[in-house]
Amino acid sequence: MSFGAGPNGLLWRDGDEAVDLSGLGDVFAQPTLNELLRSGRAAWQDAIAAARAHDGPRMPERNVRLHLPFKVADYVDFYSSLEHATNLGRMFRPDQEPLLPNWRWLPVAYHGRAGSVVVSGTDVVRPCGQRKAPGEDAPTFGPSRRLDFELELGFVVGIPSELGERVPVEAFAQHVFGVVLVNDWSARDIQAWEYVPLGPNLGKSFQTSISAWVTPLALLEDARVEAPPQDPPPLPHLAGGRGWGLDVALEVELNGETISQGNARTLYWTLPQQLAHATSNGASLRTGDLMASGTISGVEAGSEGSMIELFRGERFLEDADELVLRGRAANGVALGDVRGRVLPARA
Ligand code: MN
């Protein structure tokens, strides 16, 4: 049960069928969800009720050409999984504490590239960039040798905020329409060389894939669980939001084989805390802002949300590999898949 965008306008996903909502009126005849997004919480509820009751044309989802569901405004990617941050810290900085001193005090993030966010099903061209292996004196430019995925949960802002205004943890559901699955494709070799001291840039910005379906928060109410405890307690402006753990089972399939199974409920920083942090300096929200959780990794082996963690840096994506991310909430609501195939680097 999610909204998407197709050739005639908005679509409603009902099982493995897509229902054409364009007959429901102007908001539903738009090429993207943006108008629905900015219409607010009461209208979102009405839209869900109308979509459920609509007897419009329906067809198998696989036969529909699904578009990017909303026009992405800004894109921010967090780093909210304790297990992922610890695993990556060990690999990127083996001689230091894996977690940097700020990690437990704020949800660390980088600002991504909104213009290269694409819909599920879009192939990814292996990026080129500067890479420098540990034993080399100087970098070389060429195709990434360490292309990876990141399994993430993202949320989509509907109602904007004013410049200077802070959006508190409690106001999350007033502003946020729903969630998508996200694959933050990552070139680890490019990232490792470029990220100091300002964070990821070209190692990430070549492409980010999201599900074609946006699942409204209202349909995930029954999947809400208590998030893991936080130590130390966050500062007052980031306190609360613990009831926003989301019990969403996650799965990654590579060339038809399941390589990872985890759950979004393990996130240390919840989605409302991410939003509160992103606006804590008064930065304004815009309709269509996309914020993603960061890679979701669990404690158990096989629950890691990236290849660098799953295969300890010994295996990465090869040309022609096909990847599918899946998510299913504990109340049975399926999130949209995120599919992508790796194409060779361009000469
Ligand atoms: Mn990421």
Side-chain angles (χ1 to χ4, degrees):
M1 294 182 291
S2 316
F3 289 99
N8 302 327
L10 303 195
L11 297 163
W12 174 249
R13 185 192 197 200
D14 181 14
D16 51 13
E17 289 189 319
V19 182
D20 185 334
L21 300 179
S22 59
L24 284 175
D26 189 45
V27 168
F28 299 92
Q30 301 293 316
T32 67
L33 288 171
N34 283 62
E35 230 173 88
L36 176 61
L37 294 180
R38 66 172 67 92
S39 67
R41 207 174 176 189
W44 300 340
Q45 289 288 5
D46 292 347
I48 293 167
R52 278 179 151 156
H54 188 53
D55 190 24
R58 54 173 66 215
M59 64 210 92
E61 181 203 338
R62 62 179 182 279
N63 294 350
V64 185
R65 178 92 190 149
L66 293 160
H67 298 171
L68 188 66
F70 57 97
K71 188 171 183 295
V72 181
D74 278 288
Y75 166 45
V76 172
D77 193 26
F78 287 90
Y79 195 46
S80 296
S81 159
L82 176 66
E83 290 75 19
H84 172 71
T86 304
N87 291 341
L88 241 62
R90 283 199 185 109
M91 280 187 264
F92 276 56
R93 295 177 299 276
D95 47 348
Q96 295 171 43
E97 275 293 305
L99 286 187
L100 292 171
N102 60 1
W103 196 90
R104 286 178 182 271
W105 291 100
L106 56 86
V108 170
Y110 70 91
H111 199 109
R113 192 170 187 87
S116 49
V117 176
V118 300
V119 69
S120 170
T122 310
D123 295 336
V124 60
V125 176
R126 180 179 298 277
C128 289
Q130 287 196 20
R131 322 138 304 178
K132 190 177 94 57
E136 294 172 348
D137 298 336
T140 55
F141 181 86
S144 171
R145 300 179 188 111
R146 293 163 72 89
L147 181 61
D148 201 350
F149 69 87
E150 293 192 338
L151 167 63
E152 308 194 9
L153 184 67
F155 64 83
V156 184
V157 170
I159 297 297
S161 64
E162 278 176 37
L163 205 58
E165 176 189 351
R166 286 198 295 271
V167 176
V169 166
E170 298 75 37
F172 177 71
Q174 305 291 335
H175 287 270
V176 170
F177 174 77
V179 302
V180 289
L181 270 189
V182 179
N183 181 356
D184 178 25
W185 301 98
S186 298
R188 300 298 179 197
D189 40 4
I190 299 172
Q191 180 187 355
W193 170 237
E194 76 174 356
Y195 88 108
V196 183
L198 290 185
N201 185 19
L202 303 183
K204 304 274 195 176
S205 65
F206 55 96
Q207 187 162 312
T208 307
S209 300
I210 64 171
S211 57
W213 300 103
V214 184
T215 305
L217 284 185
L219 296 177
L220 295 173
E221 274 296 318
D222 299 339
R224 284 175 60 179
V225 291
E226 195 71 9
Q230 293 186 303
D231 182 26
L235 295 173
H237 71 291
L238 295 177
R242 305 321 291 158
W244 275 100
L246 288 175
D247 189 345
V248 176
L250 301 166
E251 190 178 285
V252 180
E253 194 181 287
L254 175 60
N255 301 326
E257 180 197 350
T258 301
I259 58 166
S260 171
Q261 288 180 296
N263 195 300
R265 67 184 295 165
T266 61
L267 285 172
Y268 185 90
W269 293 104
T270 62
L271 281 51
Q273 289 178 306
Q274 294 164 17
L275 186 72
H277 178 66
T279 60
S280 61
N281 64 350
S284 51
L285 297 173
R286 291 190 293 169
T287 299
D289 280 352
L290 170 66
M291 299 196 190
S293 60
T295 308
I296 303 172
S297 295
V299 179
E300 304 82 23
S303 66
E304 300 90 343
S306 69
M307 286 180 84
I308 194 169
E309 293 168 87
L310 284 163
F311 303 110
R312 314 277 159 141
E314 287 172 3
R315 181 182 172 194
F316 292 95
L317 292 168
E318 293 176 14
D319 291 349
D321 275 354
E322 189 152 23
L323 198 75
V324 187
L325 315 186
R326 293 199 180 88
R328 177 173 286 271
N331 61 352
V333 173
L335 275 55
D337 296 348
V338 184
R339 291 168 179 273
R341 194 166 47 110
V342 179
L343 300 183
R346 296 212 178 128

